[in-house]
Amino acid sequence: MSDLICSEVHTFTHQLGEEGETGTRLARFMFSTPPSLGREWTSLSFGPSELEFTGIRRSRSIPVDVGEDSGGEDIEVPRFTSLDCRGLGDGMVEYDSDGDMDLPRNKGGEDKQLVVEHKLATGLGEVGLQVWRGSLVLADYLLENHQQFCGKNVLEVGAGTAVAAIVASICGANVLATDIENKEVLELMEKNVERNHNLLIGDVTVKALNFNTDVSKRDDLKNIEIVLAGDIIYDDDITEDFIRFMVNLHNKVSCDSLKFIVALEKRFVFTVADLDTVAPAHDFFISQLEQFGDNFKTCKISTNYINLDFPQYFCYERSKDMVLLEIVCQIKD
């Protein structure tokens, strides 16, 4: 039996139960939106669309399979104070008996629910069926910078559960959500998009796309302006394919410069070769970007690290090991 991999994000979800024969689960997240987006103190929940809940407490996380009633046993759960509370005056934030924040709700409207299905643990080949931290960092970035994405044609590669793709649509982008040619992953994405069609602003289309696909034959990619990629950097072969895909896609699209927003996590391991703790997947990706000019003669790239000090709208632990890059691919002079 192959080893199972579990995303740490599930620690910060309220699991609601199983959904079908494939072992997928329903979970609930909380998030807010910037006032300029017009959806203040909205909730994002992973669960049935008919599920109703009240009380937004973004400072609290509930470990997997632990409900509010833990049978009298004291259970410590992670808490953090980095969540954004801009615009709240003195006395507007109240706390319940457990010390959790009860944030004010928008009295003019109902809480919104985003319905997403996912798995708690998978083998390495099916990690797209889980929700990963990179998707939530991308979602935070999209919400904070929603004006930059409104009306844009956005491609998400390795979209998995389609969380970032759906949030991009809420920001007004037209999104092509893609992942590998895997029936279970693609069907999961389609179900998640369909469940939330009432929340979408821009169009969301789900299709298969591998990094080694002949993109010259894909007319649906011609008008892409921005590419999102969350937690796809974990295997050197996939990383090399992604670098080549960047060039091939730039040669296909009609815009002069193509922007990639890539979120990844430095996953550290101790190696005998280095006699040190290193993040090999991250380091290999950065080395490939640095060698880009030597390997490709028709394109050039500029790479910028995006500071992660923007507000956190989702409830999760934004690890200091997260990295967010803006990579712009252009024709070489």
Side-chain angles (χ1 to χ4, degrees):
M1 182 177 179
S2 60
D3 293 335
L4 293 179
I5 300 171
C6 179
S7 168
E8 300 91 338
V9 168
H10 305 316
T11 305
F12 289 83
T13 66
H14 182 188
Q15 296 297 319
L16 303 174
E18 295 188 6
E19 171 72 14
E21 299 177 355
T22 60
T24 54
R25 305 277 296 195
L26 302 172
R28 183 166 68 205
F29 284 79
M30 300 299 208
F31 86 115
S32 63
T33 58
S36 55
L37 189 56
R39 293 180 173 84
E40 296 182 67
W41 310 117
T42 305
S43 64
L44 167 62
S45 70
F46 294 58
S49 58
E50 66 272 10
L51 178 69
E52 298 294 339
F53 64 93
T54 59
I56 297 180
R57 295 185 296 176
R58 296 172 57 237
S59 64
R60 183 176 184 182
S61 63
I62 304 176
V64 173
D65 294 325
V66 177
E68 293 287 349
D69 183 2
S70 58
E73 181 182 359
D74 291 334
I75 298 176
E76 292 188 6
V77 297
R79 287 178 168 80
F80 52 94
T81 58
S82 60
L83 296 173
D84 181 39
C85 294
R86 294 176 304 168
L88 297 181
D90 294 338
M92 292 185 66
V93 178
E94 297 181 354
Y95 298 85
D96 63 15
S97 59
D98 296 324
D100 299 319
M101 284 194 301
D102 285 327
L103 296 179
R105 301 201 299 167
N106 184 352
K107 301 299 184 180
E110 297 178 356
D111 293 335
K112 303 295 182 181
Q113 296 186 23
L114 184 60
V115 181
V116 176
E117 198 176 315
H118 70 107
K119 282 192 174 182
L120 292 180
T122 65
L124 183 61
E126 296 183 318
V127 291
L129 297 170
Q130 298 188 55
V131 180
W132 293 91
R133 200 164 1 221
S135 295
L136 298 180
V137 171
L138 282 176
D140 281 343
Y141 182 78
L142 289 164
L143 291 169
E144 178 64 8
N145 300 279
H146 60 91
Q147 298 94 337
Q148 299 178 22
F149 297 92
C150 185
K152 297 293 186 180
N153 295 314
V154 173
L155 167 69
E156 186 182 11
V157 295
T161 56
V163 171
I166 293 171
V167 174
S169 171
I170 293 173
C171 294
N174 296 311
V175 188
L176 178 59
T178 67
D179 212 308
I180 60 174
E181 188 79 51
N182 180 301
K183 184 173 182 290
E184 187 175 4
V185 173
L186 296 175
E187 287 182 350
L188 188 70
M189 291 168 60
E190 288 176 343
K191 287 191 291 184
N192 288 337
V193 171
E194 176 58 29
R195 282 187 175 116
N196 298 284
H197 70 275
N198 60 312
L199 295 179
L200 304 180
I201 303 300
D203 294 333
V204 180
T205 304
V206 173
K207 290 188 178 180
L209 178 65
N210 298 321
F211 291 147
N212 55 10
T213 296
D214 183 0
V215 297
S216 65
K217 299 178 180 179
R218 293 286 297 262
D219 290 338
D220 55 345
L221 301 175
K222 183 177 181 180
N223 295 320
I224 295 299
E225 300 167 279
I226 302 172
V227 181
L228 305 176
D231 274 321
I232 63 167
I233 306 300
Y234 56 87
D235 176 272
D236 289 353
D237 290 336
I238 295 176
T239 296
E240 289 181 334
D241 290 342
F242 177 57
I243 296 290
R244 287 191 292 268
F245 171 79
M246 291 171 60
V247 176
N248 293 334
L249 182 61
H250 176 260
N251 293 336
K252 172 66 178 180
V253 300
S254 57
C255 57
D256 293 332
S257 62
L258 182 62
K259 182 186 296 185
F260 294 78
I261 307 296
V262 182
L264 64 149
E265 185 170 359
K266 294 181 180 179
R267 293 182 169 89
F268 290 94
V269 295
F270 181 84
T271 66
V272 175
D274 297 288
L275 291 178
D276 196 5
T277 302
V278 295
H282 164 270
D283 296 345
F284 181 76
F285 180 51
I286 298 303
S287 71
Q288 291 298 297
L289 294 177
E290 292 172 346
Q291 299 169 23
F292 189 92
D294 297 330
N295 297 332
F296 301 98
K297 304 305 180 183
T298 60
C299 297
K300 64 179 180 180
I301 62 169
S302 59
T303 303
N304 297 305
Y305 283 84
I306 298 175
N307 198 319
L308 292 177
D309 62 355
F310 52 84
Q312 183 170 331
Y313 296 100
F314 283 80
C315 184
Y316 66 103
E317 184 180 11
R318 186 184 288 178
S319 167
K320 61 181 178 59
D321 297 325
M322 292 304 302
V323 175
L324 190 62
L325 297 173
E326 179 187 81
I327 305 169
V328 179
C329 190
Q330 298 174 301
I331 297 175
K332 186 176 289 186
D333 297 331

